[in-house]
Amino acid sequence: MLTALRDAGAHLGNLLRLVRAEIRGNLRALASLVTLFGGALLLVLASLVLLLFALRDALAALIGDDALAALIVALPFLVAAAILTRLGLRRMSLRSSEG
């Protein structure tokens, strides 16, 4: 009976070491995946910024005014920021009146 308990304890220890090794491997894989997606996101954002600069320069070449071209390119972002700000403020005021 005593040997059976020792064997069970040894088996449980081996199982826990296996689980620990498996979890470490999964965490390393997850960390590398998050790093790769973060790098890809950074490159996409840099590409979008360069695309917006190119769009502004193209518009400036067509209409002959840098400031107006920058305003035309920035206008959709300003409208979206205003809409999101208004929705956020409205949602915050609704939550403060509920609480």
Side-chain angles (χ1 to χ4, degrees):
M1 179 76 168
L2 191 58
T3 58
L5 286 175
R6 278 190 207 136
D7 289 342
H11 180 65
L12 183 61
N14 289 336
L15 183 64
L16 288 175
R17 276 191 286 279
L18 262 168
V19 166
R20 193 176 315 137
E22 182 74 25
I23 288 174
R24 282 184 186 158
N26 287 343
L27 286 177
R28 283 185 187 133
L30 181 65
S32 67
L33 186 65
V34 167
T35 303
L36 288 173
F37 272 110
L41 180 64
L42 182 67
L43 290 175
V44 165
L45 288 175
S47 298
L48 287 175
V49 168
L50 290 174
L51 177 69
L52 290 174
F53 284 157
L55 181 63
R56 187 211 49 197
D57 289 344
L59 276 175
L62 286 175
I63 59 178
D65 188 12
D66 285 343
L68 184 60
L71 182 66
I72 291 171
V73 171
L75 193 62
F77 294 101
L78 291 173
V79 170
I83 291 171
L84 290 173
T85 301
R86 188 167 184 182
L87 289 174
L89 289 173
R90 186 180 305 157
R91 185 168 289 180
M92 283 175 30
S93 69
L94 287 176
R95 285 189 181 163
S96 65
S97 66
E98 289 174 359

